[in-house]
């Protein structure tokens, strides 16, 4: 296999049969959209969408000191996560820069599953393997052991419930339990990246097609639609969720990203980046860094990552993500801006779009919050 050949998920033939537009994403050949990305987006907001997320990187950490290793390697307090629960956290460099944002599932007393972004899976695997030295714990690359399907949207509980006897009503947000869905053994997690209720189903790759078909059939009456990466991006953007490489990079610490809450200084022992992050926290308290805000267009032109945010003839920030928002009916963006221009309703803020300063309204994130 040549180094340039794209990896394909177990659902590759299924996507092609559905007429998906495929794209290279982090070395994987992934569905960008099946038809209209706007229709897919609306399906998730109003009914339900079915995603193939098998490109995500699963890394298993096991052994008597698995919790100790993760507490040392990551910024969160992983030892306090109860079996069956999950936690959003980050892995940082020694200088505090963010290597990736992660979800860690505690499967039982001595077994954890770390889920990394596709583009960073190898970096995270290498860092965890290196940081495991001296701990009685094993780091295992399980990227080929799992396919990952997500059902997201207000109808997702009813759809998944029709295929499982697992206690979905008792399954809290950021929790996971083993069960079967349509007869397929799965880790059923109540997590997602859309701002909607939903589930992520970790299964063996050989069961992926069967499960996709069962979910599609179960969702027919509920308006379930297959969904690609394009609407996943607009959904997460509306929900104010950061994307690695856009809102999060090695140039930023969690404090720079407004996510200092994920760093748990109170946990026992040292962890990678503790000293640098302590300084970053103190710096953020005395000289607030740029703030991640929402911007809503007054016109129709769409801002893109890297565009400058301007006010009074000065550059006051930079767009990290931008797209048309199907829910708001206007272009939106996330941007890091100077604290003086970060308050919702700040006047006179614009985005430099090819030399033209387009007016934008500063708003608090997220743009969209589902009704509970």
């Amino acid at each position: 296999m040549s180094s340039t050949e794209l990896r394909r998920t177990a659902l590759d033939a299924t996507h092609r049969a559905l007429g998906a537009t495929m794209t290279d994403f982090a070395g994987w050949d992934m569905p960008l959209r099946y038809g209209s990305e706007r229709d897919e987006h609306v399906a998730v907001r109003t009914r339900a969408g079915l995603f193939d997320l098998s490109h995500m990187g699963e890394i298993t950490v096991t052994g008597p000191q698995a919790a100790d290793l993760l507490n040392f390697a990551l910024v969160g307090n992983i030892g306090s996560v109860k079996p069956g629960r999950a936690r959003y956290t980050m892995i940082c460099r020694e200088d505090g820069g963010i290597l990736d944002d992660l979800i860690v599932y505690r499967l039982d007393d001595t077994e954890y599953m770390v889920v990394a972004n596709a583009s960073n899976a190898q970096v995270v695997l290498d860092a965890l393997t290196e940081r495991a030295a001296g701990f009685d714990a094993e780091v295992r690359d399980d990227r080929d052991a799992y396919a990952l399907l997500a059902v997201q949207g207000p109808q997702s509980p009813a759809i998944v419930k029709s295929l499982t006897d697992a206690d979905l009503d008792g399954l809290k947000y950021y929790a996971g339990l083993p069960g079967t869905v349509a007869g397929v053994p799965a880790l059923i997690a109540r997590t997602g990246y859309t701002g909607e209720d939903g589930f992520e189903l970790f299964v063996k790759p050989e069961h992926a097609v069967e499960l996709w078909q069962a979910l599609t059939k179960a969702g027919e009456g509920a308006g379930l639609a297959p969904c690609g990466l394009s609407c996943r991006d607009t959904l997460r953007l509306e929900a104010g969720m950061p994307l690695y490489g856009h809102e999060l990079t090695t140039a930023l610490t969690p404090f720079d990203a407004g996510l200092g809450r994920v760093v748990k200084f109170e946990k026992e022992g040292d962890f990678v980046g503790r000293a640098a992050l302590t300084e970053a926290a103190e710096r953020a308290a005395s000289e607030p860094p740029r703030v991640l805000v929402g911007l809503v267009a007054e016109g129709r032109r769409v801002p893109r990552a890297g565009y400058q945010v301007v006010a009074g003839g000065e550059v006051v920030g930079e767009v990290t993500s931008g797209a048309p928002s199907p829910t708001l009916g206007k272009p939106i963006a996330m941007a890091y801006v100077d604290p003086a221009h970060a308050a919702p309703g700040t006047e006179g803020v614009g985005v430099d779009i090819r030399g033209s300063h387009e007016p934008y309204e500063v708003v608090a994130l997220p743009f969209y919050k589902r009704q509970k």
Side-chain angles (χ1 to χ4, degrees):
M1 177 172 163
S2 75
S3 60
T4 54
E5 194 174 324
L6 295 178
R7 298 184 70 179
R8 295 183 172 194
T9 78
L11 288 158
D12 184 73
T14 303
H15 301 317
R16 290 170 196 280
L18 288 167
T21 300
M22 306 295 286
T23 189
D24 174 359
F25 186 82
W28 290 82
D29 207 11
M30 297 297 293
L32 188 63
R33 70 180 75 82
Y34 298 86
S36 153
E37 57 203 51
R38 188 184 184 283
D39 290 350
E40 293 170 24
H41 180 112
V42 172
V44 175
R45 284 278 178 259
T46 59
R47 304 184 306 276
L50 177 59
F51 296 82
D52 177 12
L53 304 180
S54 303
H55 60 311
M56 300 294 280
E58 296 87 5
I59 301 160
T60 303
V61 180
T62 57
Q65 290 189 305
D68 296 332
L69 162 58
L70 290 170
N71 267 356
F72 170 70
L74 311 179
V75 301
N77 188 353
I78 307 305
S80 67
V81 179
K82 293 180 167 56
R85 297 307 301 263
R87 183 155 297 165
Y88 176 79
T89 187
M90 293 182 185
I91 182 167
C92 289
R93 302 192 306 194
E94 197 67 66
D95 68 0
I98 302 165
L99 282 173
D100 201 14
D101 61 335
L102 313 164
I103 295 180
V104 179
Y105 296 88
R106 187 170 190 172
L107 303 180
D108 62 32
D109 285 347
T110 59
E111 184 174 7
Y112 295 80
M113 181 168 68
V114 176
V115 181
N117 285 296
S119 55
N120 295 328
Q122 190 64 48
V123 169
V124 174
L125 177 68
D126 292 346
L128 287 174
T129 303
E130 185 184 315
R131 294 172 190 188
F135 289 95
D136 186 2
E138 181 198 349
V139 176
R140 188 172 73 233
D141 180 0
D142 269 347
R143 283 177 287 179
D144 293 335
Y146 290 101
L148 175 56
L149 281 66
V151 188
Q152 300 280 300
Q155 291 295 323
S156 55
I159 293 167
V160 179
K161 209 177 280 187
S162 73
L163 296 173
T164 184
D165 56 8
D167 177 19
L168 297 191
D169 291 335
L171 188 64
K172 294 185 171 74
Y173 187 50
Y174 267 73
L177 85 174
T180 60
V181 181
V184 169
L187 171 66
I188 305 167
R190 199 162 210 151
T191 44
Y193 194 51
T194 62
E196 297 298 337
D197 193 7
F199 302 90
E200 295 186 318
L201 308 170
F202 295 85
V203 300
K204 288 183 175 174
E206 57 264 34
H207 294 148
V209 172
E210 172 190 350
L211 181 57
W212 179 281
Q213 291 171 343
L215 287 163
T216 299
K217 194 166 189 307
E220 274 172 2
L224 176 81
C227 292
L229 293 178
S230 189
C231 83
R232 182 172 153 86
D233 191 48
T234 53
L235 289 159
R236 70 92 196 167
L237 177 54
E238 286 184 351
M241 294 175 164
L243 175 64
Y244 195 88
H246 289 257
E247 287 72 40
L248 309 173
T249 69
T250 50
L252 298 172
T253 71
F255 295 94
D256 296 322
L259 290 164
R261 64 180 181 277
V262 305
V263 182
K264 303 300 181 188
F265 292 117
E266 69 275 15
K267 64 180 175 178
E268 282 181 30
D270 196 16
F271 62 89
V272 177
R274 184 191 269 273
L277 289 167
T278 301
E279 284 180 26
E282 290 167 358
R283 202 163 54 242
S286 61
E287 299 169 45
R290 282 184 165 178
V291 181
L292 189 65
V293 301
L295 299 174
V296 178
E298 292 179 22
R300 310 302 308 167
R301 298 183 74 183
V302 179
R304 298 297 181 192
Y307 285 14
Q308 292 178 335
V309 180
V310 291
E314 301 287 314
V315 174
V316 298
E318 186 176 301
V319 171
T320 53
S321 298
S325 163
T327 304
L328 276 64
K330 297 174 178 178
I332 59 171
M334 287 201 277
Y336 282 111
V337 302
D338 294 345
H341 295 88
T346 301
E347 302 277 318
V349 172
V351 175
D352 186 339
I353 301 183
R354 298 185 194 87
S356 167
H357 290 187
E358 300 288 326
Y360 273 75
E361 181 190 355
V362 179
V363 300
L365 291 169
F367 300 96
Y368 166 85
K369 208 165 190 176
R370 72 181 172 95
Q371 303 299 309
K372 300 284 186 200

